[in-house]
Amino acid sequence: MSQTKQVEEKWLALWEAACVFEADPNPAKQKIMVTFPFPYMNGPLHVGHAFSASRVDVYARFKRMQGYNVLWPWSWHWTGQPLLGASQRVARGDQEYIRVLREVDGVPEEHLQKFVDPKYMAQYYTNEGKNAAKHIGFSVDWRREFTTVWPTFQKFIEWQYKNLREQGYVTRGTHPVVWCPKDKSPTGDHDRQSGEGVTPEQYTLIKYKLVDKNVILPAATFRPETIYGITNIWINPDATYVEATVNSSEIWVISQEAAEKLKEQEKIVVVNRVFKGRELVGKTFENPLTHETFPILPGWFIDTKVATGIVFSVPAHAPFDWLALRDLQLKPEVMGDFGVDPQVVLQIKPVSIIKVDGFGKYPAIEIVEQMDIKDQQDPKANQATKELYKKEFHSGKLEANCGVYVGKSIREVKDQLIGDFGKLGISDVMYDLAESVVCRCMTPCVVKILSDQWFLNYSDSKWKDKTKEVIAQMKIYPETARTSFYATTDWLKEWACARTTGFGTPLPWSEGWIIETLSDSTVYMAFYTINKHINQSNISPEALIPEVFDYIYHGKGNQTQISKTTGITGELLEAMRKEFLYWYPFDLRNSAKELVPNHLSFCIFHHAALFPPEHWPKGIGVNGMLMVEGQGMHKSKGNFITLKSAINKYGADATRCGLMIGAEGMDDPDWRADNANDLKNKFESLKSFVNNIIASGKQSENTALERWLQSKMQYRIREVTESLDELKTRTALQTALFEVWNDLRWYIQRKGSINTVALVEAVKVWIKMLAPFAPYMCEEMWSQAGEESFVSTAYWPKFDENKLDFAAEEQEKLIIDMLTDTQNILKATKITPKRFVFYTAATWKWQIYLKILEKTSTGEAKISELMKEFSNNTELKPCMKDIAVLVPKIIKAATKLSSNRKANMIKIQKIDEKQAIQNALNFLKDRFNAEVNVYSEDDKNRYDPKNRASIAIPYQPAIYIE
RNA sequence: GCGGAGGUCGCCCAGCAUGGUCAAAGGCGUAGGACUGAGGCUCCUAUCCUGCAGAGGUUCGUGGGUUCAAAUCCCACCCUCCGCACCA
């Protein structure tokens, strides 16, 4: 076992033995409750989970060290269909899938065989997940754990839905879904062989009538407004159509495919006879709106797989229609084949109904000519159609021949028009898929309208308003994500909240329906607060009647009474109520940004509905999606990294930091194996760096250098603390790890040794600041520093203004600036130096320097005024000539200083530059590998062959290099 | 299409709210040096261009504008990423 592994095992065991992360209510302490959306258990935890969850853990550990009573509970999501689907694939012997389980997930053979049982599979991944979560060092209180199929949890969900329904948030209706006729279930993206992302599209069917016959030709369109511009109907003469009785009342002519599809869309379709499309060519039909009549023409471009296979023609506005018509008009004799008079075709004139900017009367004809489209087969025809439809939709206005809709833009009138036509009984609705979708079982999918579907009515405007109130009072990390929450709240509509298959909690009032995944995971954070008691006291699910939850969560009902009916003791009821009141609401829930439009928003909606304002969520964190080596992580791409494998390879600390250093805010972090490996190595050297210091730090010194170090550490403490408070985990880690390390290195270089107590103190602060990120390593170092307690519960360092030392900072800055300047000169001159001489500014120059600082920090520094002031000073009067040169130089230097720094410089007045440089002499000699001298400009006997000293100004000693 | 987030010096990224302290932090990479038997690791130095004295020049998606002054403010444009539903 590697050393890293040993350290991890050791501290994991010690934490568990000491129950460090088990949190119980403690009125004397302020609480923080943090949560992470429970992961779905159809696979192992991966580094993507670890990224979002590590942010939670870092925050939890930080707050715990700050003295808060921190609760971080965790659970497992089993609800839904994919677990069943996965297990079926194993049962079916799907080799590709089994290979992935074996090689990517690393499932051992003896378990793999038992995956035919979905619950076994889920339990396997749950066990694995818990192990990984523990090893990565998440500071979780495991006593509150559950899975969503536990009957006790399901009682909670039943209570939740009973409550929602009583408030009228659960409604019933119909809903179109992509449907597998073989599986008899909705086919989500996960269940598809092909056609990912394809959704049902709604067509309007205009019910044209065959003249003199009681037969309807339902022509499908996305643009029902074009009914006013119709000139004919297209039928594919070679395709198969049927005449069918629909809903026992009407006779429809539709394509054979359409007849099957409509059967799934709440229509009773009885096929009476089957025939070829050519039979209809030449017949006339009537527009149900205007009662005008038009002919049916042959259109070979009509695809009967799309919608009804009947299309009405609007040649003025549809490029395809125009092209088809033009082709026919060029060869009208074709009509003879159908026994139709060619005149029928030649008489057709396009009817203009939409005025659109940039086009004349017949946009379709114009665009066909502009783009030089030859015929229906020309690929440019599709492009032209898209372009024109878009233009007409956005800027088109309906013309005078469009009835009551005249002058309206299509965008504003479309929905109204569809509704009107429906009411008039001249239209119907059909759904179809824009691209083919094939189920994993290889069956092509269709659209099915689910009737009696249960919905959560997120359209309810009162619910939306209340949800916005919740958002308004919430802290959102980062703040920029707030707009997406508001946008989502506005945009959410009815959500189908139940389905007929998969794991989950049955709807208590409607048999056969199971509450779906995203709907049973909205307020379960409240369940954590009491599940400790349910687990420990073995409360039976039967006892968890709604009144119990009403009492705990809403303080309703009589405790004695409830105790009597359920057998739960009054004490226990009281304890659960108190536990809920202590912990709730949660202070942070963090997840990836893809959950904003669904899970996280649902969570807010449901809290708004079920809890009073004092229990509304306090904070939600959103982060980017983890990338792996610059690409999205997918099992199929072969770049899937399980948490377990990352820990094994890099260790928990390096994995955590590799993730945290990637990004913060909404940016997508990028996991790079090189980085993780690099961090692993860095931590090795960090440990020996720290151990050496701890072992040798015996000298208690207090020079400017120690004061500088202490001062510097204060700034680091402040930055790390403030960053963590804003969940800026990347900034915090970068400062805590790299910036502090650089500070310590500088100190050591300057000091030339590591044996000071001050350095040990700084290192201890460092360990504490790193502890939330790399807890194992820090516990180890902490104990090696002689500390008995856990660093996990040590006090977080506090920024202390009194420990700042501006003078020490300025002295150090002086040395650094001098070094930079000197190196700059060396670079420019390319000389090989034998000797360096530094000259600090004469005392009288300080008067001038400080005066100018004061002037520039309060307002503008005018040279003339300054000169006057200086000449009044008897002390300065003799050197007015030098002053005249000096003043502009100093003013220029002063403009480069921040106002903060200026204020500090004024506060400390003059620093002893010569002494400061003298103290650094050994360091400088070492650095330059040459002789180094320092003089003050005031020194009469200085070595100064080029009279450099005269150009020295405060904070900018003159330099002479031989 | 709708909604959201972004484009910074080889790469990852900080800065932008409150314009000047920004040639722009930090990490990675690269080069040189130290250490080592050698390598890895580690440590030091450099890393936009020019410059024989601490300086100058050109940069922050593109093009305009405001201002004494813009990576930061305004306008237009181009490009990238994410979500769009019954599915976790």
Side-chain angles (χ1 to χ4, degrees), chain A residues 141-152:
Chain A
D141 180 352
W142 290 103
R143 297 171 304 167
R144 297 160 194 272
E145 180 189 16
F146 59 89
T147 82
T148 56
V149 299
W150 285 19
T152 43

Side-chain angles (χ1 to χ4, degrees), chain A residues 218-415:
Chain A
T221 181
F222 287 127
R223 308 207 299 164
E225 68 278 4
T226 54
I227 189 173
Y228 294 104
I230 184 172
T231 59
N232 61 282
I233 270 180
W234 300 113
I235 293 278
N236 189 333
D238 300 330
T240 308
Y241 287 81
V242 301
E243 199 176 274
T245 308
V246 174
N247 292 345
S248 345
S249 56
E250 294 176 337
I251 303 200
W252 286 17
V253 167
I254 44 181
S255 75
Q256 200 166 34
E257 294 92 333
E260 293 309 309
K261 286 176 187 167
L262 285 170
K263 284 179 189 171
E264 300 286 5
Q265 299 188 15
E266 293 198 305
K267 291 203 163 32
I268 305 160
V269 181
V270 181
V271 173
N272 304 326
R273 81 184 177 91
V274 180
F275 58 94
K276 286 284 173 209
R278 58 177 50 242
E279 193 181 299
L280 292 166
V281 172
K283 296 215 160 60
T284 50
F285 66 93
E286 183 188 305
N287 179 344
L289 200 63
T290 61
H291 304 292
E292 293 168 287
T293 60
F294 303 95
I296 297 175
L297 299 180
W300 286 272
F301 65 102
I302 298 298
D303 183 353
T304 52
K305 286 203 245 349
V306 179
T308 54
I310 297 176
V311 172
F312 67 91
S313 172
V314 190
H317 300 284
F320 269 109
D321 291 340
W322 166 242
L323 287 166
L325 181 63
R326 191 178 66 176
D327 288 354
L328 271 185
Q329 288 183 335
L330 288 172
K331 285 188 190 166
E333 63 279 10
V334 170
M335 295 310 290
D337 298 348
F338 301 94
V340 179
D341 179 0
Q343 277 307 312
V344 171
V345 168
L346 294 171
Q347 279 166 3
I348 293 178
K349 297 252 166 354
V351 179
S352 174
I353 58 157
I354 302 165
K355 175 78 196 99
V356 60
D357 290 343
F359 286 100
K361 212 166 174 201
Y362 304 113
I365 300 176
E366 289 171 34
I367 202 165
V368 161
E369 277 162 14
Q370 273 167 26
M371 294 176 71
D372 192 26
I373 299 168
K374 285 187 256 336
D375 54 30
Q376 300 163 50
Q377 275 74 43
D378 194 328
K380 281 185 288 187
N382 252 322
Q383 197 190 326
T385 302
K386 264 193 189 158
E387 207 169 292
L388 185 58
Y389 281 20
K390 205 198 298 185
K391 275 215 177 96
E392 290 188 338
F393 180 75
H394 287 284
S395 61
K397 290 239 162 41
L398 291 166
E399 292 178 36
N401 51 359
C402 297
V404 293
Y405 310 107
V406 56
K408 298 269 176 63
S409 86
I410 292 165
R411 189 186 203 143
E412 59 184 338
V413 84
K414 189 155 212 146
D415 288 339

Side-chain angles (χ1 to χ4, degrees), chain A residues 11-21 61 137 775-776 779 790 792:
Chain A
W11 291 103
L12 195 54
L14 287 171
W15 287 334
E16 279 194 7
C19 305
V20 186
F21 307 127
R61 285 176 173 276
Y776 293 110
E779 289 288 8
F790 292 108
S792 298

Side-chain angles (χ1 to χ4, degrees), chain A residues 708-709 712 716 739-747:
Chain A
W708 169 85
L709 180 63
K712 204 78 187 170
R716 302 308 184 199
E739 308 277 1
V740 173
W741 205 340
N742 286 342
D743 293 340
L744 298 177
R745 276 196 277 244
W746 177 256
Y747 172 84

